[in-house]
Amino acid sequence: MDETQREIPEGGLFIRDGFIEQICPTKELPETADEVLDLRGCLLLPGLVNTHHHFYQTLTRAVPAAQDANLFHWLKTLYPIWARMTPEDIFISTQTALAEMALSGCTTASDHLYLFPNGARLDDEIAAAQETGVRLQASRGSMSLGESKGGLPPDSVVDSENTILEDSQRLIQRYHDTKAGARVQIVLAPCSPFSVTGELMKQSAKLAREYGVHLHTHLAETEDEEQFCLQKFGYRPVPYMQSVDWVGEDVWFAHAVYVNNEEVKTFAKQGCGVAHCPTSNMRLASGIAPVKEYLKAGVKVGLGVDGSASNDSSHMLAEVRQAMLLSRLREGITGFSLSDDPTRKLMTAREALRLATRGGAAVVGRSDIGSLEVGKCADFFAIKLNRLDYAGALHDPVAASVFCHPVRVDYTVVGGKFVVRDGKLVTVDETKLVDRHNRAARRLLESK
Ligand SMILES: [Zn+2]
C-alpha cells in the first residue's frame, strides 16, 4: 500500500522498536534478529484501520425487537437498553470488539462512544483497549438534544453541554498522544444532527481545534435525517455542517450516503473524510454511499464496521469485501456498462483494501500507519494461504483475501507486538471473555 502499490513476493520486514526499518525481499534482510517469524506460505498485509464503530453495541447484537427496523426505530428500541450499561459493560464490550477486530486484521480502531450511563466513562474503554494492544482512536461522543427539546434520544441518556465539554477537555489532556506510533488518540464526536444542538457542534469544533484533535460525527446516513435537518435547521445535512464550522481536514463523517454532487465537491475542497459503512447501510436499509464519486473527486474514504448492533460483527476483512461488492451493485443499479464507457471499472479487491488501509489512515489523520514502508508503524497481519477458504484462489492471494469468504487471520502485530499469534489472541483469554460478555448481554436485556 505504498505510493506505487508494490507487492513483494518472498518479501520480509525488519522491525525495531515498533517501527519498520526495512521492507524488501527476505534474502536482503539481516541474517538474525531478537525474534524471527517465519511466514512462508502466508499473505502479509498492512494492518487495517477501522474508521467507525460503537464497541458497546456488541452487547446488543441481533436484539429481536431491533432486527428488522430502520435507523430511527432501531435507535428508539435500543436507547433504553443501552441506558442500563455500567462501566464494566463498556470495558467488556471494548475487549470483545477489539478481539474481533484483531482477529480480522485490524490494528487501529476508531470507536465512537456517545452514552455514559451509570458512571461509565471513556476511560473504561481506553483501559480495556490498552490491554488488548490494538491502537485506539477514542471518540468522546455526546448527546445533548433529548426528546423534550425535539431530539430523538430519551432525556435519560443525554448530558448537559458543560459536562460534555469539560469531560472532552479532560480526556484530551489526559490521553491524547501526538507522537508517531501513538497507541491512544482522542477525537471529539457529538453523535448526530438529531441528538445534539448546533451550539454543542460549534463549541466542540472550537475545543478540538485548540488542541489539534480530530472531529467525527454521523452524517447524511438516512433520508429521515435529511428531513430532520431541513425541518429543524433549515439546511440539508452537509450545509448544516458548514454552518456550524464542521468542515476541514480535521473532520470525518460516518456514512455520508445522502449527498449531492455539490456536497461531494465540498468534501473534496475542504478535505473532509468519509467513513463508509457498507454492512450497516444494508442492515438498516439506509442507502448506498457514492464511494466511486468520492474517490474520483479526491475525497478521503475509509471503511467502518459501524456499531455491532447494526452489522452485527466487527470483522474488518468482511467489511472490505462488502465495500467491494456493494460498490459493484451500485454500478449495476446506476447503469454500469463497459461497452458505453471502457474507462469505467468496477471496484477491485486492491482498491477495497486500499480504502481499509491508506484510506482509513488518511481519514483519521495519521501518517504513521496505513502502509508498510520504512519509518511507519510495524502494524500488519498475516493469513496462511493453504486453507479451505482459499483453495483454488492462489493465482492471486491478495485478491483471495477479499473475494473469498472472510477468514480469521493467523497473525496480527501492532507496533511490533503480537496481538494474534498462530490464530489465537495473545492479550486476552477468548473463552473467558465470551463467557463474561454473554453474561453482561443477558443482564442488559433482562433487567428492566
Ligand atoms: Zn455509527
Side-chain angles (χ1 to χ4, degrees):
M1 293 296 161
D2 65 4
E3 280 302 327
T4 59
Q5 294 278 82
R6 191 164 57 129
E7 291 175 12
I8 314 173
E10 310 289 324
L13 298 159
F14 185 71
I15 296 161
R16 197 193 302 269
D17 297 332
F19 293 92
I20 299 169
E21 214 167 88
Q22 253 181 287
I23 174 160
C24 55
T26 299
K27 61 181 186 308
E28 295 168 23
L29 291 175
E31 294 273 309
T32 58
D34 294 341
E35 177 159 17
V36 177
L37 181 63
D38 186 346
L39 292 176
R40 263 176 289 203
C42 286
L43 167 73
L44 185 146
L45 290 168
L48 306 177
V49 180
N50 182 41
T51 60
H52 187 66
H53 205 324
H54 311 286
F55 296 158
Y56 72 86
Q57 292 181 11
T58 51
L59 292 162
T60 53
R61 297 199 250 222
V63 168
Q67 280 174 16
D68 307 315
N70 65 8
L71 180 69
F72 281 15
H73 290 103
W74 174 89
L75 280 169
K76 281 184 162 287
T77 305
L78 292 170
Y79 283 138
I81 301 173
W82 295 336
R84 295 178 211 137
M85 286 191 302
T86 63
E88 195 193 4
D89 293 333
I90 301 295
F91 189 96
I92 298 169
S93 55
T94 296
Q95 293 214 326
T96 298
L98 288 177
E100 283 189 279
M101 299 246 69
L103 285 164
S104 62
C106 176
T107 52
T108 301
S110 173
D111 186 62
H112 189 180
L113 180 61
Y114 54 82
L115 291 115
F116 301 91
N118 310 308
R121 301 191 305 166
L122 195 61
D123 308 64
D124 304 313
E125 171 178 320
I126 294 170
Q130 283 173 327
E131 280 186 13
T132 68
V134 177
R135 288 184 209 285
L136 177 68
Q137 303 298 113
S139 303
R140 203 298 177 187
S142 51
M143 297 200 289
S144 67
L145 191 68
E147 263 172 341
S148 64
K149 291 184 191 151
L152 192 76
D155 289 359
S156 60
V157 293
V158 308
D159 285 312
S160 85
E161 305 202 337
N162 271 346
T163 308
I164 291 164
L165 291 165
E166 274 171 29
D167 193 50
S168 300
Q169 187 172 25
R170 176 188 71 81
L171 289 160
I172 296 170
Q173 289 173 341
R174 168 121 194 241
Y175 295 107
H176 187 65
D177 183 356
T178 55
K179 292 189 293 295
R183 294 265 174 181
V184 178
Q185 291 194 330
I186 299 293
V187 175
L188 298 193
C191 189
S192 62
F194 49 84
S195 59
V196 300
T197 65
E199 187 53 27
L200 183 64
M201 295 299 286
K202 281 187 196 161
Q203 292 301 326
S204 297
K206 192 161 161 264
L207 182 62
R209 284 166 184 148
E210 272 172 35
Y211 287 93
V213 305
H214 269 55
L215 289 160
H216 178 51
T217 193
H218 294 94
L219 196 76
E221 181 174 357
T222 62
E223 275 182 319
D224 288 348
E225 178 201 320
E226 186 175 295
Q227 287 309 314
F228 181 95
C229 288
L230 284 166
Q231 280 162 22
K232 179 118 182 139
F233 310 115
Y235 290 113
R236 290 170 48 79
V238 176
Y240 172 54
M241 287 298 111
Q242 292 176 285
S243 79
V244 290
D245 306 326
W246 267 67
V247 286
E249 291 283 346
D250 54 355
V251 178
W252 90 94
F253 299 117
H255 306 297
V257 173
Y258 291 89
V259 292
N260 61 31
N261 292 340
E262 275 312 301
E263 292 160 354
V264 171
K265 282 188 208 150
T266 300
F267 284 179
K269 190 164 157 240
Q270 301 289 342
C272 303
V274 170
H276 174 44
C277 307
T279 303
S280 171
N281 295 157
M282 288 188 267
R283 159 73 146 90
L284 298 172
S286 302
I288 310 179
V291 174
K292 281 248 160 191
E293 285 86 338
Y294 281 138
L295 296 176
K296 200 170 167 203
V299 177
K300 297 176 289 196
V301 181
L303 299 184
V305 297
D306 202 0
S308 287
S310 67
N311 183 314
D312 301 42
S313 151
S314 310
H315 201 298
M316 196 62 199
L317 261 183
E319 209 60 30
V320 178
R321 186 174 192 245
Q322 298 278 52
M324 180 182 80
L325 296 179
L326 189 60
S327 166
R328 289 173 176 218
L329 179 61
R330 186 168 189 275
E331 295 284 293
I333 294 167
T334 53
F336 171 81
S337 164
L338 260 182
S339 48
D340 294 345
D341 179 1
T343 64
R344 277 183 71 182
K345 287 200 170 65
L346 296 174
M347 182 181 284
T348 66
R350 285 167 175 79
E351 281 172 322
L353 280 169
R354 202 171 170 84
L355 296 179
T357 51
R358 277 186 88 95
V363 163
V364 301
R366 291 192 65 153
S367 56
D368 57 341
I369 57 171
S371 59
L372 298 175
E373 293 179 79
V374 172
K376 291 217 178 187
C377 293
D379 292 7
F380 63 84
F381 68 101
I383 302 172
K384 288 178 186 158
L385 293 169
N386 187 20
R387 63 199 309 148
L388 182 62
D389 318 73
Y390 294 173
L394 301 183
H395 343 282
D396 187 347
V398 177
S401 73
V402 182
F403 274 93
C404 299
H405 191 270
V407 298
R408 269 194 168 204
V409 308
D410 294 289
Y411 297 90
T412 300
V413 171
V414 182
K417 295 203 168 80
F418 288 101
V419 179
V420 177
R421 187 167 195 161
D422 292 321
K424 293 196 171 57
L425 290 161
V426 295
T427 51
V428 294
D429 182 323
E430 186 178 338
T431 311
K432 281 189 189 149
L433 179 62
V434 171
D435 186 47
R436 228 179 138 193
H437 189 95
N438 278 331
R439 269 184 281 133
R442 213 165 26 239
R443 197 200 69 244
L444 268 187
L445 270 282
E446 282 168 5
S447 57
K448 284 267 153 39

